[in-house]
Amino acid sequence: MMDEKWIDEIWRKIDKKLIRVAVERRGTLPYSTDEKGVYDDKYKTYVNFWTNGFWPGLMWLMYQGTNNEEYKITAENGEKLLDGALKNYDLLDHDMGFMWHLSSGANYRITGNQQSYVRNMYAANILSGRYNLKGGYIRAWNGSDNKGYAIIDCMMNLPLLYWASAETGDDRYKNIAISHADKTLKHHMREDGSVHHIVNYNPETGEVIDTPGGQGYQSGSSWSRGQAWAIYGFTLSYIHTKEERYLNAAKRVANYFIAACCDDYLPKSDFRSPAEPVLYDSSAGLIAACGLLELARMLPENERGMYERAAWNLIKTITDTFADWSEDTDAIITHCSQYYSANKHITMVYADFFLAEAIGKLKGINTFLW
Ligand code: GLY
């Protein structure tokens, strides 16, 4: 099924392009590229942006696969830049995991750096502080209108809490993660295996008020990146807790996702949106692929095939169709969507992160930072 020559070639091309970008964009926190293909710098414009951990994370993935110190230097630099975000307390939200577990958490786990350990523990404590005891969920965003908002993406922030409990031997963090995961399982998950992006709870009682459309087409639709976060997020909760219900949840969303995109393996931004405009989200496909590979790893051999094949089809098709290997541009993966109503394709640094994670997994490199 898998073409090892293709995998080696893609890894070589990723390294060739990213080693230049790693050096040229050191001292910045990139998110997306401009019309000339040059990365922006969220450190300058919004250091608290939720994606800012992916750049150092991507650098750690490449360091793991190449041992090239240039990647390590850029990763360490990006992590230091993120200290600016910790100082803007009011701008911190639930994305502490995306921001710190992939930067400081990765540094600590790879090098044992004690400063990184402290940063990641601060991040875990801030995330824990967003847990609503009466509601039973981790609050997603700030602002007076959304005290009751919990979003599916948060499943990817939970590994930070599992890590904090494993490090300290104190189950408080893990208990919060499990409570949030159970609430998500109960209320985000739909009958057909798809998930809501947002569930809005009564913060005093934890009852569901409504399920706004969020970054998808509308309420009740199926934002593909949300489905991908759910596949990977439930799988991660299973990996860290070994609670069977999370594995079953991951399988249900995975089965839904595979059926929704198996006509061409190029996921649309929303699986339940009008046929026109055609709006893809490559990031959703690559996140899902990484989740599917981890899910398959957790299953008995006779159950793995379908998930491994779907992961391969997503990675191969998206890369063959939407990868930009030009040396004049900074990002690799194109055709991502920030949210449905933006109605445009952009590059996003985390699509490249999940590409590197996926190809690393296929090559047998340790690219698991969750
Ligand atoms: N976590 C926000 C997004 O996926 O766009």
Side-chain angles (χ1 to χ4, degrees):
M1 172 189 68
M2 287 193 306
D3 178 345
E4 279 173 25
K5 221 172 122 216
W6 182 89
I7 296 166
D8 286 345
E9 176 65 5
I10 296 300
W11 179 263
R12 193 192 61 73
K13 284 161 97 166
I14 293 173
D15 182 32
K16 181 163 184 281
K17 182 154 177 166
L18 284 188
I19 194 60
R20 171 187 60 80
V21 183
V23 174
E24 283 182 11
R25 303 293 162 239
R26 187 172 292 156
T28 74
L29 290 171
Y31 167 56
S32 185
T33 48
D34 65 14
E35 59 289 344
K36 292 198 184 110
V38 176
Y39 264 134
D40 59 2
D41 179 10
K42 287 286 180 197
Y43 175 65
K44 282 209 187 104
T45 57
Y46 190 39
V47 68
N48 283 67
F49 196 53
W50 74 277
T51 66
N52 282 345
F54 281 106
W55 173 247
L58 175 58
M59 296 296 106
W60 283 119
L61 293 184
M62 296 311 297
Y63 177 66
Q64 295 271 82
T66 62
N67 279 322
N68 189 327
E69 290 286 317
E70 296 292 354
Y71 288 122
K72 184 166 177 266
I73 294 166
T74 304
E76 289 165 342
N77 177 280
E79 180 185 344
K80 288 197 186 102
L81 296 181
L82 269 172
D83 284 349
L86 275 179
K87 289 178 194 143
N88 297 329
Y89 179 78
D90 289 344
L91 297 180
L92 295 170
D93 62 20
H94 74 140
D95 284 326
M96 305 303 294
F98 280 126
M99 292 174 76
W100 278 280
H101 201 48
L102 301 178
S103 53
S104 304
N107 191 351
Y108 171 66
R109 283 171 285 156
I110 293 167
T111 73
N113 184 309
Q114 283 304 308
Q115 260 189 340
S116 302
Y117 167 85
V118 171
R119 286 186 180 107
N120 218 33
M121 282 306 304
Y122 280 139
N125 279 277
I126 290 168
L127 181 57
S128 301
R130 298 188 70 85
Y131 181 71
N132 179 325
L133 187 61
K134 284 189 183 170
Y137 62 90
I138 294 172
R139 178 179 174 177
W141 300 317
N142 303 327
S144 54
D145 289 349
N146 47 36
K147 292 194 182 108
Y149 274 27
I151 70 172
I152 194 67
D153 325 26
C154 191
M155 291 301 295
M156 297 298 286
N157 289 316
L158 302 186
L160 171 63
L161 301 181
Y162 295 127
W163 169 85
S165 276
E167 278 295 322
T168 60
D170 182 339
D171 282 351
R172 283 178 299 142
Y173 308 99
K174 182 176 100 178
N175 290 342
I176 287 174
I178 289 174
S179 171
H180 179 85
D182 285 342
K183 187 94 179 167
T184 305
L185 184 52
K186 191 158 176 212
H187 297 295
H188 279 258
M189 200 77 182
R190 302 165 176 148
E191 273 300 299
D192 66 356
S194 69
V195 293
H196 298 293
H197 180 201
I198 303 174
V199 175
N200 182 22
Y201 297 108
N202 178 328
E204 291 300 318
T205 65
E207 280 170 295
V208 176
I209 298 171
D210 55 12
T211 57
Q215 286 164 252
Y217 169 58
Q218 62 182 19
S219 176
S221 71
S222 177
W223 179 47
S224 61
R225 194 158 65 251
Q227 314 309 313
W229 292 140
I231 297 172
Y232 207 169
F234 280 119
T235 301
L236 291 172
S237 273
Y238 176 73
I239 289 173
H240 291 289
T241 67
K242 295 290 179 290
E243 294 290 346
E244 208 69 22
R245 62 188 179 279
Y246 302 138
L247 189 67
N248 291 331
K251 281 202 280 191
R252 283 181 61 200
V253 195
N255 295 346
Y256 167 83
F257 191 99
I258 293 167
C261 74
C262 66
D263 52 338
D264 62 1
Y265 289 100
L266 296 174
K268 309 291 183 298
S269 172
D270 193 308
F271 292 130
R272 275 183 217 135
S273 58
E276 301 284 338
V278 178
L279 203 56
Y280 294 106
D281 186 6
S282 311
S283 77
L286 293 169
I287 295 161
C290 290
L292 291 169
L293 289 175
E294 287 301 317
L295 173 59
R297 206 166 60 79
M298 294 298 114
L299 294 171
E301 208 160 327
N302 63 342
E303 283 188 49
R304 289 182 195 159
M306 176 175 95
Y307 301 111
E308 286 174 344
R309 267 193 305 279
W312 167 253
N313 287 335
L314 284 162
I315 296 163
K316 175 92 169 49
T317 313
I318 291 169
T319 307
D320 284 347
T321 315
F322 291 140
D324 167 8
W325 300 115
S326 155
E327 282 300 319
D328 302 326
T329 57
D330 290 348
I332 299 170
I333 294 294
T334 66
H335 288 76
C336 302
S337 297
Q338 192 173 15
Y339 49 94
Y340 183 82
S341 62
N343 192 19
K344 65 172 182 188
H345 289 129
I346 61 170
T347 62
M348 301 193 303
V349 67
Y350 56 95
D352 286 8
F353 174 96
F354 286 103
L355 174 72
E357 180 179 330
I359 300 294
K361 282 186 203 301
L362 297 179
K363 260 185 83 63
I365 296 167
N366 181 10
T367 49
F368 183 77
L369 297 185
W370 305 94

